[in-house]
Amino acid sequence: MATMVSSAGALLAMLSENHTTLKLHALSNLNAFAQFFWPEISTSIPLIESLYEDEEFPQRELAALVVSKVFYFLGELNDALAYALGAGSHFDVTEDSDYVRTLLDKAIDEYANLRKKAAESNEEAARIDPRLEAIVERMLEKCILDGKYQQAMGIAIECRRLDKLEEAVMRSDNAPGSLSYCINISHSYVNRREYRREFGPDHSYPVHGSPPGTANNFVRPEMRAKGDPGQSGLRSSLLMPVSQISASAFFMISGYGEGGRCRGCAMVEVLRLLVRVYEKLPSPDYLSICQCLMFLEEPEGVASILEKLLRSGKKDDALLAFQIGFDLVENEHQAFLLNVRDRLPKPKSPPAELPPSRDSEATETGNATASEDVQMADGPHASHGNFAEMEPAEARYAERLTKLKGILSGETSIQLTLQFLYSHNRSDLLILKNIKQSVEMRNSVCHSATIYANAIMHAGTTVDTFLRENLDWLSRATNWAKFSATAGLGVIHKGHLQQGRSLMAPYLPQGGSGSGGSPYSEGGALYALGLIHANHGEGIKQFLRDSLRSTNVEVIQHGACLGLGLAALGTADEEIFEDIKNVLYTDSAVAGEAAGISMGLLMVGTASEKASEMLAYAHETQHEKIIRGLALGIALTVYGREEEADTLIEQMTRDQDPILRYGGMYALALAYRGTSNNKAIRQLLHFAVSDVSDDVRRTAVLALGFVLYSEPEQTPRIVSLLSESYNPHVRYGAALAVGISCAGTGLSEAISLLEPLTSDVVDFVRQGALIAMAMVMIQTTEAMDSRVGAFRRQLEKIIHDKHEDTMSKMGAILASGILDAGGRNVTIRLLSKSKHDKVTAVVGLAVFSQFWYWYPLIYFISLSFSPTAFIGLNYDLKVPKFEFLSNAKPSLFEYPKPTSAPTTTSAVKLPTAVLSTSAKAKARAKKEAEQKDKSAGAEPSASASGPVKGKESSTEKSGDAMKVDNPPPSEKKVEQEPNFETLTNPARVVPAQEKFIKFLEGSRYMPVKLAPSGFVLLRDLRPEEPEVLSLTDGPASAGGSTGPAQQGSAAGNAMAVEEEPQPPQPFEYTS
Amino acid sequence: MDPKLTEVAQGFERFKAAFVRNDFDTCTRLLSQLKVLLTEFRSLPPLFEPTRSAIQELTLARDIYEHAVVMSVKMEDQEAFERDFCQLKPYYTDARDCIPQSPQEYPILGLNLLRLLVQNRIAEFHTELELLSSAALENPCIKHAIELEQSFMEGAYNRVLSARQSVPHETYVYFMDLLAKTVSVACCVDVP
């Protein structure tokens, strides 16, 4: 029988006894029962306090503990902590109680605060209570002993105890895992480095104010997910508070980098430490080290690691180096990659060769770009010739270096992507055909929308069948439509670096005379070249510059400016800038607009002085188009600069001119891209509801999408109210914001938010919603979300509906293009796998969202496409045959079924007379058939259509009894859908599928890195067997009719040129 | 029998002997020792662990505290009374189901009520009253205290004074005297 005391009166009475033993007895019992009797004890606090203050009393600390507990229950956390510190060793950090957890949290906060203050004011940490420090250290020790290394690391980072962090990592049983966890935290905290200031110290730890039981509500779910991945298994005395701690770590950490001056300086410290720890490990994880170094912007470190790996005798190390290369390329950090590449030491060649190679090195670093094409084609060739003279090790190094440089320049991945997209192209021409047939010929908007849709649908696949088959129809495109039709070729051939120029040759301006071609197709061709070479335009820049200089037709200038901007994205090339500026100063509206954007593209993320120059001109000129172009350009220059951009943003958002304010919105969006920065969000929301100009309001809402794309779950919530605004511009912005930030996620809330907007009363809102919906649903199958199918049907209906507005029709056409973009093999991805933002993709979407004013900018969306593929590569950077598993039903992720040819519905269906008897018989037969189906236990598979099966079984039924006796079990089994699917390298792996990917044990190849998608190097476990390569089915494998560029690279370059698809024959417009 | 329990029992015997002799110095000394010894029993409040000798221990401890209360009255020490009574109370309330009721329970409860009356802690007096069962309220010792309080409130001081003659227990005299003193002062004020 459990007897409980009902009152602490007895114990309290005992406290006033004279005998010390009795007092002790009372105290220890009070301590044990404090959580029940704290209200009673609270009246006696002075008595217990006097015991604590009594120097004679042997157990003062126990008294302190009791007082601390009572204060804790009274909600006086500061007093509680003060007394808990007095309790010394009696305060047991291992105890599993709310009291200990809360106080530990408080203690750590306090300590971290003090440490932070000490670090900021550069004083020595003398003011920190040693008892506090002791508690935190005890806590850390306990975490480490319990194997909760992640918690320990979180606390250590938060408290800026790098020594402890190192200790935690070194003592953890899984050091590499811990390190990657650390990296995750540190990455998140760079993103959130503003957080703390935003919330203010009072709000970052809302736990303090709340009553003890409800401690943990504040931690946002996704943060918690980040904070303790894989901890769900821990029963955990500390799970709750520590997830909270790690979350607060994000806040805390953000307090480090005050101001833009020291951009996450503490993060740099942490990363440096991580790199150091990594290097200490017996088998360093170079992949992660290099990621760290990239964030640290230390190309030397990466280069030296790569060199070490390349020089190693083992093949695996070289594979690893290649893998690092691919991973770095994925982040699209062009400047850094070039830097790494240039720092890789040349192979030691005989002294006679030395001077010229030095020379080329010098020119290359000086010019960084212009000679690139030559170098790529030339350098390997030269070194190849010398292989014989070199030692074997050097020769091997040289060979590997060539490959690595190919990877780092991004060309290898572009090449492979191109091949993948070409070979796996599953675009549905029938959709286009239907669109083409249903849009009115004379409606030029829909006509060019169809051309856009075609280009997007085939982006990067090099398949231009549709255009070829419809040359007559195509020729209706005149003027700017012709411009965009030609530019569309650039999207289709995106990444076709070697042959881009020869492909576009027929449309390019012919030297000097300017005879023949219309300026529109010439301008479009230049734009197309830019799209083909986007962000990798070293080979084409010179040509574009020449074209720009040699013309004064504004349409051609327009195309050339856009092309140059794309090709030289983010290079900050002064000469090109000057050229474009000259165009700008001609004050021609069309060319000036492109020049403005182009300048921005050129200077992406540099925050250079040029911005003020551009701003000055924007004030000067009369042309709205130019102002708009410049506004966007200025916004692009501050890409990712966060606080540094604040002055400029302030300047722009306060401008009289709504177009500049509109640019200010873009500046906010791009400067704080993907940071979820509260200040930026607040500002944007403010403009979204208060600006006088609809354009500004629309853009402000749209910009939210960019700020929030790293947390797509948040966006629908934040814009949900705006999506119900009375102002159609705001609604449009809300739709696109969701489209941008949730692009490619197939997020259910996003779809729910967009659904009503697709049938809005205002035509352009419908347009925006349709496009946004397509962006969200890209690569989402109907099996995953049934609304995808409904959406496809809705698009079809809109396109076919005669009474639908042109605007929403255009939206529907574009949406069908985006939905099936890149031959149904690409998705829109703004973050790389290592959570780095992809500059090109973000910039692409930002300019794309400008299509409101200028349709040809639609093509910029192709920059944000990234292939959803697993591409395994062997040592030769070829694609070997390799199989792996996808542990999910194939139908879940398969390509959408091709649309069937429209049946002639023109025949009017006559109502057939149905006799009641036959109807009954039919019904009976049907019922029986159904029952039979059920008993056979076969589910209708996705591929087999229902009616066919019904018929089958009914015939079976009507057949004789002997047939019934042996039902076809084998057939049924086939119909049963398997629960897995074997994929063959290179395979399409959609984002949602990634978690189902499994690599088979005992297969010939072993991935170097267990990544479910992207480029993965494969280790060959049976090198003696001959390799079977896939991806050799390019049509060009037989033909040798290739341009000079190809021959040049074929010599020594391991670029698998022979696998490249043949350039299609040029076709001419009949204008 | 548990040696510790024997030790306490023997100590208690000695205490009782001294108590009968009215040797209060010895009593206090012994009591203090006993209390310390009692802290070692895990069956006593607030732990109430069901050990084998729990009932004996509880009974003995209650006995000791009851004597302590009575002694404090004899020594006319109100603070000690309160202290000891508080420690005794759990044996009456929480341990009621474990051990048979003590014959001293009602007299001591009544004594406590009386003390609260004397100290003019009327609120606590009524709180205590609420906690008592109806059977307890019928007990003459308790009834005595209740009637006293009523007379006191009504201002029927003569009844208060006469009640001194009909005390249900000899220990009540001390508090009754105190009460009488208060009342006579009140009367003096009342009857000028």
Side-chain angles (χ1 to χ4, degrees), chain A residues 400 984 1017 1035 1037:
Chain A
R400 289 174 178 176
T984 317
L1017 267 294
S1037 53

Side-chain angles (χ1 to χ4, degrees), chain A residues 737-759:
Chain A
V738 171
I740 290 164
S741 67
C742 305
T745 59
L747 208 67
S748 175
E749 299 92 75
I751 297 175
S752 313
L753 187 132
L754 289 173
E755 236 172 4
L757 291 176
T758 56
S759 44

Side-chain angles (χ1 to χ4, degrees), chain B:
Chain B
M1 211 169 167
D2 189 11
K4 260 197 264 175
L5 191 56
T6 328
E7 191 190 340
V8 177
Q10 283 168 353
F12 186 44
E13 288 308 320
R14 265 181 280 143
F15 168 81
K16 275 199 274 193
F19 185 70
V20 172
R21 290 198 309 273
N22 279 349
D23 180 357
F24 292 133
D25 285 341
T26 321
C27 279
T28 320
R29 194 168 43 79
L30 284 171
L31 185 64
S32 176
Q33 284 170 9
L34 282 173
K35 280 183 181 170
V36 172
L37 284 172
L38 282 179
T39 60
E40 288 170 29
F41 292 124
R42 307 204 43 89
S43 60
L44 302 186
L47 298 171
F48 286 122
E49 279 179 19
T51 52
R52 258 184 301 124
S53 52
I55 297 180
Q56 290 147 348
E57 285 166 15
L58 280 168
T59 325
L60 185 60
R62 188 181 61 185
D63 233 11
I64 292 172
Y65 279 114
E66 280 172 349
H67 275 85
V69 170
V70 175
M71 190 183 83
S72 66
V73 178
K74 284 193 175 168
M75 289 171 68
E76 307 191 346
D77 182 346
Q78 291 188 28
E79 270 179 42
F81 179 92
E82 185 174 356
R83 214 161 50 219
D84 290 327
F85 178 77
C86 279
Q87 292 176 57
L88 172 62
K89 218 176 149 197
Y91 295 91
Y92 289 153
T93 52
D94 306 325
R96 173 174 303 165
D97 304 323
C98 307
I99 48 174
Q101 203 181 10
S102 154
Q104 293 292 311
E105 178 173 345
Y106 292 133
I108 288 182
L109 285 177
L111 208 52
N112 184 45
L113 290 172
L114 209 54
R115 168 186 70 97
L116 291 172
L117 207 53
V118 169
Q119 292 176 343
N120 202 21
R121 285 151 77 171
I122 304 299
E124 280 168 75
F125 177 90
H126 284 281
T127 316
E128 289 293 323
L129 223 49
E130 292 300 318
L131 291 171
L132 294 174
S133 63
S134 52
L137 292 177
E138 294 303 310
N139 187 281
C141 296
I142 309 283
K143 230 178 180 161
H144 179 73
I146 295 171
E147 280 166 5
L148 264 182
E149 193 260 357
Q150 280 169 355
S151 326
F152 206 51
M153 290 299 115
E154 286 164 14
Y157 297 135
N158 56 338
R159 266 195 277 154
V160 177
L161 290 174
S162 62
R164 195 189 178 282
Q165 267 67 50
S166 59
V167 284
H169 202 270
E170 76 269 38
T171 46
Y172 280 42
V173 177
Y174 164 60
F175 286 119
M176 286 310 293
D177 282 343
L178 284 176
L179 207 57
K181 217 182 277 171
T182 319
V183 167
S184 46
V185 170
C187 287
C188 294
V189 175
D190 255 11
V191 189

Side-chain angles (χ1 to χ4, degrees), chain A residues 150-213:
Chain A
Q150 301 189 339
Q151 283 89 328
M153 287 183 279
I155 299 170
I157 292 182
E158 186 180 7
C159 300
R160 308 182 146 215
R161 288 294 297 264
L162 293 185
D163 50 335
K164 288 282 166 193
L165 178 65
E166 188 170 353
E167 190 190 331
V169 174
M170 292 313 281
R171 282 170 64 179
S172 71
D173 38 13
N174 174 18
S178 312
L179 281 174
S180 59
Y181 173 75
C182 270
I183 292 181
N184 262 340
I185 302 188
S186 13
H187 286 187
S188 322
Y189 94 57
V190 158
N191 291 342
R192 285 174 184 72
R193 86 193 130 94
E194 267 292 290
Y195 238 103
R196 193 176 153 73
R197 244 200 286 164
E198 286 315 304
F199 278 100
D202 300 349
H203 307 289
S204 0
Y205 311 107
V207 153
H208 300 177
S210 59

Side-chain angles (χ1 to χ4, degrees), chain A residues 491-546:
Chain A
V491 175
I492 294 176
H493 291 283
K494 181 171 168 268
H496 217 152
L497 299 189
Q498 264 75 27
Q499 293 161 48
R501 178 99 174 261
S502 50
L503 276 170
M504 300 313 296
Y507 319 109
L508 287 172
Q510 308 298 328
S513 60
S515 61
S518 93
Y520 290 100
S521 72
E522 288 176 5
L526 291 171
Y527 180 25
L529 275 183
L531 288 165
I532 292 175
H533 291 265
N535 206 10
H536 296 279
E538 284 155 355
I540 204 75
K541 274 196 296 198
Q542 196 54 40
F543 174 76
L544 287 171
R545 263 179 77 190
D546 293 342

Side-chain angles (χ1 to χ4, degrees), chain A residues 1 3-7 9-11 13-19 21-22 25 29 33 37, chain B residues 32 35-36 39-40 45-48 50 65 82-84 86-87 90 93-95 97-98:
Chain A
M1 185 186 66
T3 317
M4 278 292 299
V5 254
S6 54
S7 153
L11 293 169
M14 210 184 261
L15 273 183
S16 40
E17 293 277 1
N18 294 323
H19 207 288
T21 325
L22 288 177
H25 176 72
N29 278 312
F33 288 92
F37 297 127
Chain B
S32 176
K35 280 183 181 170
V36 172
T39 60
E40 288 170 29
L47 298 171
F48 286 122
Y65 279 114
E82 185 174 356
R83 214 161 50 219
D84 290 327
C86 279
Q87 292 176 57
T93 52
D94 306 325
D97 304 323
C98 307

